[in-house]
Amino acid sequence: MDTTNDKSRTILIVEDSLSYRSLLRDYLSQDNRYNYTILETGTGAEGLKQYRIVQPDAILLDYVLPDMNGLEFLQALQQQIKKPDLPVVLLTEYEKENLASQAIECGAQQYLSKSTLTNENLRLSLHNAIKQGELLRQVAELKVQNDRNLRVLDRKEEQLRLALASAQMGIWDWNLLTGQMQWNREHEELFGLAPGSFDGNYETFDRCIHAEDRAAVHECVVRSIETHTSLCHQFRIVWADGSIHWIETRGEAYFNAAGEAMRTIGTVVNIDERQQAQQLLQNQLDRQRLVLDMTVQIRRSLDLPEILQTTVDEVRQFLQIERVLVYKFASDWSGNVIVESVSADWSAISTEQIYHPCSEAAVKSFQQGIVIENADIYSAEIDDLHLQLLESVQIMANLVVPIFKGTDLWGLLIAHHCSAPRQWQPSEIDLVKQLASQVSIAIQQANLFAQAQLELTHRKQAEMTLQLLNAEIEQRQSVETLKDEFIGIVSHELRTPLTSMQGALGLLAMGLMDDEPEQMKRMIEIASIETERLVRLVNNILDLDKLDANSNCLELEWGDANLLAQTAIDVMTGSAAAAGVDLELNCQIGQIFVVPDRIVQTLTNLIGNAIKFSPSNTTVSIEVTEIDPILDRATKFDSLRADSATLSRRVRFAIADRGRGIPADKLETIFNRFQQVDSSDSRDKGGTGLGLAICKSIVEQHQGQIWVESDWGNGSTFFFTLPQPMHQHS
Ligand code: ADP
């Protein structure tokens, strides 16, 4: 019990003299410092027993006891409580030499002579003894506590050791001041060293690191110290037997108050398995990526040689081997290498014709999809001839996978390892098989493509032949049409005037009219009119033909619009006067860029028609204006071509008459050759039916438009527009 904060203390008096005990009690009762509980006994044995039971805070011990002396008591007590120091004040009757030192040796704290005993010195000695006792108790408690802690620590250390051992984790502790490193047993084992053999030098550690990883390890340690961050790094070490192992280290640097690095402590674990698993995973991913890349390439490309070349290149690179090739069978199961990828140090075999026909058995097994894998050709079951063949091209190990086209054996995808024997891994065989099946798809695809190409070529040829035939037919048809047209013209347009001429001239020739000069004159007139008409017709036909022939080479020039219109009017003045029709011109523009003669011809034609179909005493008006390009967009033609060309300048000619007009269904057809509103028009009006066709041809050659607007019975207005350069001629 902790009594330090409490004033109560228990004192055991071991004294055979009752009077002396009473004195002591008396003294103690005067001590204000503590409240004493006093136990008394007269013998040493009883005192020892009491001590065991009560554990008093101090003992006042008489040196002379009936059963033993004070020293014997002290020795017995020491033995009993196993403590060298005892909270005992020894009281003696008389001074005895060495007694004091003997008593102290036996563990007593204080020594007092009964003869000099006072209240004061008893109190002082007792207080010291009590204090001493308390200190001893505290020390004892601390020791117990300490022992307990030590046991816990021992246990923890053992647990940690076990944990480290079972986790195969090594620990290093690097004193940066001395440069010494400490490794635990596991660390040494992980580095392939015998337990206890590590000499603590950084150089020894450094020598264990794989040469390629040394700089990185060093840099990582330095960075961790400089940046006050934990280090975590993976590197390779090389054991004395040359084997390479992957290690992961983690650690931390410790700094003093001045921020100087004192030591770094950390762990190491072996990560070979993790590394292998990662490598395995990486290989798997690489394989998948390769197959995927090839698949994508095959989907994208139809170029079989390119696909095959990529395949052999990729396989060689992936397997890190010397030679990969694609061998294609011929019909007699011989064949040749069609693509090859070979490393620079080894010879290519594609140029050599080394393959003899495959044995029947080999072909059969390939047809069944069986793969040949030889890790070492010398330990494989290969016949001598074949072995010689393989030897001649430096093959040590080979892997041969059949390639199919549909269900037929097409060829082989072959991998050669030349520098040493090689154990082909199942994953590698699987990869080459997958690529061989991708190649099969590519072959089929290329085949289909070639077929499609052939079909396409055939179809194109057929189409071309058909086009030629069509063109020929069209040509024939147009010749036929021309012929028909010509026969039509000849039979109708030419024959009609010729017949009337023939009739008139016949009558004259027979002399039937010799006596009738009036009649004769009439016949001659008819013959003359028809001759004129014939000439006009022939001229018109020739004119149209000329226009068609020169459609692409108009020689435009600047001319005065008013002058051109006036010229046409002048030509027609006679006819107008004869018909009793007035001609009126309203021209609002100056220069125009045209073929002047052709525009005069067009105007003459249109004015001529207008006069022809006008009743007498009416006016034919001719108007020449410029059209606002924006407003013009709303017109019948420009709404169809809303491009920038519609914004160019335009002049518009309008020839209006008050004649009979043109029915709506003829508004467009009258611009075709030999088209008339009425079949009698040409006869009655002396027309040829070609005038408007000529006008249309001329206007269109000027990139213009021509049309008629008419109110049947109330006259017609013929319009034509001509595009003009934006900048007017000055
Ligand atoms: P033609 O020599 O017969 O006049 P065109 O080609 O000039 O040949 O005219 C074709 C036909 O168009 C005419 O026969 C006539 O029926 C009709 N036509 C032309 N201009 C007019 C017009 N101003 N008024 C009425 N009909 C016309």
Side-chain angles (χ1 to χ4, degrees), residues 609-610 612-613 657 660-662 670 675-678 681-682 687-693 716 718:
N609 278 351
K612 264 197 299 192
F613 293 97
D657 65 60
R660 66 165 194 214
I662 299 161
I670 52 165
Q675 292 296 324
Q676 283 149 338
V677 172
D678 197 306
D681 281 355
S682 68
T688 61
L690 289 171
L692 288 179
S716 326
F718 281 80

Side-chain angles (χ1 to χ4, degrees), residues 56-253:
D57 293 301
I59 301 172
L60 291 176
L61 174 67
D62 182 18
Y63 180 71
V64 183
L65 293 168
D67 52 346
M68 61 182 80
N69 68 29
L71 291 179
E72 288 164 347
F73 181 91
L74 286 170
Q75 281 162 356
L77 188 62
Q78 254 185 352
Q79 247 181 4
Q80 185 178 302
I81 61 174
K82 306 258 188 281
K83 285 177 193 163
D85 299 307
L86 307 169
V88 176
V89 179
L90 186 69
L91 302 164
T92 59
E93 206 74 51
Y94 43 85
E95 297 280 341
K96 195 180 167 196
E97 214 175 303
N98 291 338
L99 186 59
S101 58
Q102 279 179 320
I104 300 298
E105 250 173 50
C106 289
Q109 294 302 311
Q110 300 292 323
Y111 172 85
L112 278 178
S113 165
K114 281 186 179 175
S115 56
T116 56
L117 183 75
T118 62
N119 193 355
E120 200 54 37
N121 60 16
L122 177 70
R123 207 164 53 219
L124 256 171
S125 298
L126 190 60
H127 288 175
N128 282 339
I130 289 170
K131 198 104 223 131
Q132 192 64 32
E134 282 170 1
L135 278 173
L136 286 173
R137 207 167 31 247
Q138 280 171 14
V139 168
E141 276 168 14
L142 278 174
K143 192 165 178 300
V144 169
Q145 183 69 33
N146 199 30
D147 286 351
R148 202 180 300 134
N149 285 347
L150 279 174
R151 275 201 303 282
V152 170
L153 263 181
D154 281 352
R155 214 170 39 244
K156 291 228 159 116
E157 201 176 290
E158 177 61 13
Q159 281 171 351
L160 179 65
R161 210 186 56 71
L162 280 172
L164 292 175
S166 64
Q168 289 183 307
M169 183 181 274
I171 291 186
W172 49 268
D173 181 348
W174 186 21
N175 186 329
L176 297 170
L177 300 178
T178 63
Q180 275 292 302
M181 285 184 124
Q182 275 185 3
W183 288 4
N184 69 351
R185 184 194 166 93
E186 280 76 21
H187 196 307
E188 289 179 319
E189 277 171 7
L190 288 173
F191 273 55
L193 303 178
S197 65
F198 178 55
D199 61 7
N201 290 325
Y202 184 86
E203 291 69 34
T204 312
F205 161 64
D206 200 50
R207 270 200 300 279
C208 295
I209 304 172
H210 192 288
E212 288 172 14
D213 295 353
R214 261 179 216 143
V217 171
H218 185 72
E219 190 194 313
C220 178
V221 171
V222 170
R223 193 179 336 113
S224 155
I225 294 171
E226 281 177 359
T227 58
H228 291 225
T229 51
S230 312
L231 76 86
C232 177
H233 190 63
Q234 294 168 354
F235 58 97
R236 286 164 296 172
I237 53 167
V238 185
W239 282 18
D241 63 5
S243 58
I244 294 174
H245 303 271
W246 276 93
I247 293 289
E248 181 178 87
T249 184
R250 289 169 185 273
E252 196 98 34

Side-chain angles (χ1 to χ4, degrees), residues 273-288:
E273 274 180 26
R274 200 202 300 169
Q275 234 20 53
Q276 274 163 12
Q278 263 177 9
Q279 194 57 49
L280 218 66
L281 201 70
Q282 190 58 46
N283 283 350
Q284 205 174 327
L285 282 175
D286 287 349
R287 276 201 311 276
Q288 280 171 0

Side-chain angles (χ1 to χ4, degrees), residues 529 533 536 612 676 680-689:
I529 290 170
R533 202 168 137 213
R536 219 172 27 250
K612 264 197 299 192
Q676 283 149 338
S680 62
D681 281 355
S682 68
R683 198 174 52 249
D684 298 350
K685 308 284 182 187
T688 61

